[in-house]
Amino acid sequence: MMNRRSAALAAAGIAALWANPARAEGVDFGYVYGAETLEAGETELTFWATDRRGKSQGHYDAQDYKFEVERGITDNIQVSLYAKFASHHIRGLAPEFADVDRDFAFQGLQAAFKIKALDPSKHGIGLAFYVEPGWTRVHKIAGENVTEYELELKAIMQKNFLDGRLVWATNLTLEPEWEREDEVIAPGAGDKTWKKELAFEATTGLAYRVAEHWSLGLEGRYRSQYPDWTSGLRRENYAVFAGPTVHYSAGKLGVTATYLPQLFGSPNRGGSALQLDDNEKREFRLKVGYEF
């Protein structure tokens, strides 16, 4: 389960949702991005909480938090700013991971720029492009102090059916990263070597609005990593996730919850079919957004 802080924030968001006047809305996903953008002058605040759990041994749970402010610049261009925080609780995973017990540490900052090229409600299919530079100071998996810069490049496709009640969306993402561990190897000396890594991710989702305000669906996610990618592409690992998603929207407030267990991955060990060095057994994500 997520820690008490994130649970309290989630409860507050859901309570506020029920207090808002209800009206029918579209569908949303936890991991897959849609091609639509905010209209010019609109602003949306979103809280993201992702709980990741399970390695091949020992104890591992980590939480990723993001506070996002999103603004429509024109009807086809929007920008976002994120503040990231993280919690890590790691025990009994040496030598791969040192023990960590840290709650709600400031993790870094991100900005995002999204351009809509085709509107799914007007052109039959939606197409958008997304660029997200970021800076990170706490490693997502190990919880150690790092200096990391990443650039996320995303192509977003969306197709609506049945007057928008059924939505399919797919994302293709390239994410080059430059990372330096903030490790002291001797008094007054540190490791200044920069590691380069490329991540490729493909996500897809299908959701249907089953009733007023409610939509249900499935999301799938494939993620692979390529170390030292400037010297040639060699896949180091991959993992495949899939699971259900539910979205509730009323008025200006919306809540999305997605559960993604890992189905299989490689390389694996110990008789497991899962890739658990750079991925976890399962993820759960909650998004609470308010538009004004």
Side-chain angles (χ1 to χ4, degrees):
M1 295 178 64
M2 291 185 292
N3 64 25
R4 279 182 268 181
R5 183 181 287 104
S6 58
L9 288 169
I14 293 172
L17 182 151
W18 287 104
N20 272 268
R23 62 180 175 86
E25 298 287 353
V27 305
D28 192 21
F29 300 96
Y31 288 77
V32 182
Y33 287 63
E36 296 173 336
T37 55
L38 294 177
E39 295 181 2
E42 289 185 338
T43 301
E44 185 170 359
L45 304 178
T46 305
F47 168 70
W48 308 57
T50 304
D51 183 73
R52 300 179 285 108
R53 290 181 181 255
K55 295 291 187 182
S56 58
Q57 60 182 359
H59 175 86
Y60 183 95
D61 74 82
Q63 293 76 42
D64 309 318
Y65 308 103
K66 292 199 296 187
F67 295 89
E68 176 191 12
V69 180
E70 192 173 60
R71 177 78 172 177
I73 304 304
T74 72
D75 289 346
N76 298 315
I77 299 175
Q78 70 180 38
V79 298
S80 304
L81 293 175
Y82 299 85
K84 302 188 298 180
F85 299 83
S87 300
H88 290 85
H89 306 93
I90 305 171
R91 299 186 301 275
L93 290 173
E96 287 83 2
F97 302 103
D99 289 356
V100 178
D101 187 14
R102 180 192 294 123
D103 287 318
F104 213 67
F106 174 63
Q107 188 181 29
L109 298 170
Q110 289 175 311
F113 307 88
K114 185 177 181 183
I115 300 174
K116 179 174 62 179
L118 297 173
D119 191 314
S121 62
K122 296 178 181 178
H123 300 102
I125 190 167
L127 177 65
F129 299 98
Y130 181 94
V131 179
E132 184 182 85
W135 161 71
T136 297
R137 61 182 293 273
V138 177
H139 194 276
K140 177 180 178 180
I141 305 299
E144 62 191 6
N145 293 329
V146 298
T147 298
E148 181 179 286
Y149 300 98
E150 64 267 1
L151 181 64
E152 187 174 300
L153 307 171
K154 195 184 301 286
I156 303 168
M157 292 155 283
Q158 178 179 330
K159 177 69 176 176
N160 297 347
F161 304 91
L162 305 176
D163 295 325
R165 293 182 64 87
L166 178 66
V167 173
W168 165 79
T170 288
N171 305 163
L172 300 176
T173 304
L174 286 175
E175 187 177 341
E177 299 176 351
W178 297 263
E179 176 190 311
R180 187 189 71 210
E181 294 184 6
D182 296 340
E183 177 184 358
V184 176
I185 58 178
D191 183 359
K192 300 299 183 182
T193 302
W194 288 90
K195 295 192 299 184
K196 299 184 289 279
E197 186 173 81
L198 177 69
F200 170 74
E201 186 166 297
T203 55
T204 190
L206 185 69
Y208 180 70
R209 194 167 71 240
V210 295
E212 188 177 22
H213 315 305
W214 289 97
S215 68
L216 299 176
L218 291 172
E219 294 189 58
R221 177 174 172 244
Y222 165 88
R223 183 174 178 84
S224 57
Q225 293 178 295
Y226 302 81
D228 198 18
W229 54 276
T230 56
S231 300
L233 291 179
R234 177 184 60 83
R235 188 175 69 178
E236 182 178 53
N237 60 58
Y238 76 89
V240 176
F241 300 78
T245 186
V246 58
H247 175 67
Y248 182 94
S249 59
K252 296 179 179 295
L253 197 69
V255 175
T256 304
T258 303
Y259 176 71
L260 282 190
Q262 188 183 155
L263 304 182
F264 57 90
S266 180
N268 45 59
R269 51 184 169 175
S272 171
L274 307 182
Q275 203 290 316
L276 297 175
D277 290 333
D278 291 290
N279 298 278
E280 289 71 55
K281 291 182 178 179
R282 65 99 174 134
E283 297 188 9
F284 174 77
R285 175 169 290 176
L286 177 71
K287 289 167 50 182
V288 180
Y290 184 80
E291 183 180 313
F292 57 92

